[in-house]
Amino acid sequence: MEEIKNEIIHSFGNKLRIRVCGICIEDNKILLVKHHSLGKGGILWAPPGGGMVFGETAEEALKREFIEETGLTISVEKFLFVNEYLTPPLHAIELFFLIKKIDGILQTGLDPELHSDRQIITKVDCLSFEALNALPLEAVHSVIRGMDNPDQLLQQNGYFRTSP
């Protein structure tokens, strides 16, 4: 576990990252990725997404991240909001977009930035908001904590600054 945390800090820490994140809602459920070794409790459910690569548009990055993490091909429908995540040594500006599933079979993917024996993605799943709210607070990404339904999430706009 400590090796994985050190790898996370080495790969993502002590620098500002620009991340793209996709909100995928189907049948009143939200698609989330379960990570271990993240968040205060060691588990974090978060929308699929990841860091942008120099020269890549936000839309290109989001499409790449969805394939890597979920196996799904998507279209980017609209920009929703910005979240600044700041819990040293991690610091990220997260751009959230509404996305639509186009094709593919949902599967648990990989994070290519981490070594093959230190992967942190353990599951991908569509959770109801009721199931999401039954999880420990610290196990849910801050932008979706306490949301009762998809409309509540999709009506958010602007800039947020949150911690895990």
Side-chain angles (χ1 to χ4, degrees):
M1 183 77 112
E2 195 63 34
E3 271 187 32
I4 293 173
K5 287 184 179 186
N6 288 336
E7 177 121 0
I8 290 167
I9 291 169
H10 175 74
S11 296
F12 308 120
N14 301 306
K15 58 187 165 193
L16 176 63
R17 296 184 69 226
I18 306 297
R19 297 185 73 249
V20 289
C21 305
I23 302 292
C24 180
I25 306 285
E26 287 186 348
D27 300 322
N28 286 321
K29 294 181 178 182
I30 184 168
L31 176 61
L32 297 172
V33 176
K34 183 180 182 183
H35 302 85
H36 74 85
S37 299
L38 288 181
K40 290 181 182 175
I43 298 291
L44 183 66
W45 285 90
M52 293 179 66
V53 176
F54 180 78
E56 183 177 53
T57 67
E59 185 174 332
E60 290 167 343
L62 195 51
K63 288 178 178 182
R64 174 183 50 77
E65 288 289 342
F66 258 78
I67 290 171
E68 289 172 0
E69 293 186 359
T70 70
L72 300 178
T73 304
I74 61 160
S75 65
V76 179
E77 301 295 302
K78 77 175 195 176
F79 174 72
L80 296 172
F81 54 86
V82 175
N83 179 60
E84 182 176 9
Y85 176 93
L86 179 55
T87 303
L90 302 177
H91 188 186
I93 303 297
E94 299 175 311
L95 309 173
F96 282 82
F97 295 85
L98 177 63
I99 66 93
K100 181 180 176 185
K101 175 184 159 186
I102 300 297
D103 196 22
I105 297 171
L106 187 62
Q107 60 188 3
T108 301
L110 300 172
D111 191 330
E113 294 164 306
L114 298 175
H115 194 272
S116 62
D117 66 348
R118 293 186 189 104
Q119 289 293 307
I120 60 174
I121 296 173
T122 61
K123 185 176 184 179
V124 293
D125 202 357
C126 295
L127 299 178
S128 69
F129 284 79
E130 182 178 272
L132 191 62
N133 286 322
L135 295 171
L137 196 61
E138 68 275 0
V140 178
H141 190 291
S142 57
V143 300
I144 55 175
R145 283 182 192 155
M147 297 287 166
D148 294 321
N149 59 64
D151 291 335
Q152 194 177 10
L153 175 60
L154 298 176
Q155 290 173 6
Q156 291 202 87
N157 61 56
Y159 166 85
F160 304 95
R161 181 170 171 215
T162 59
S163 60

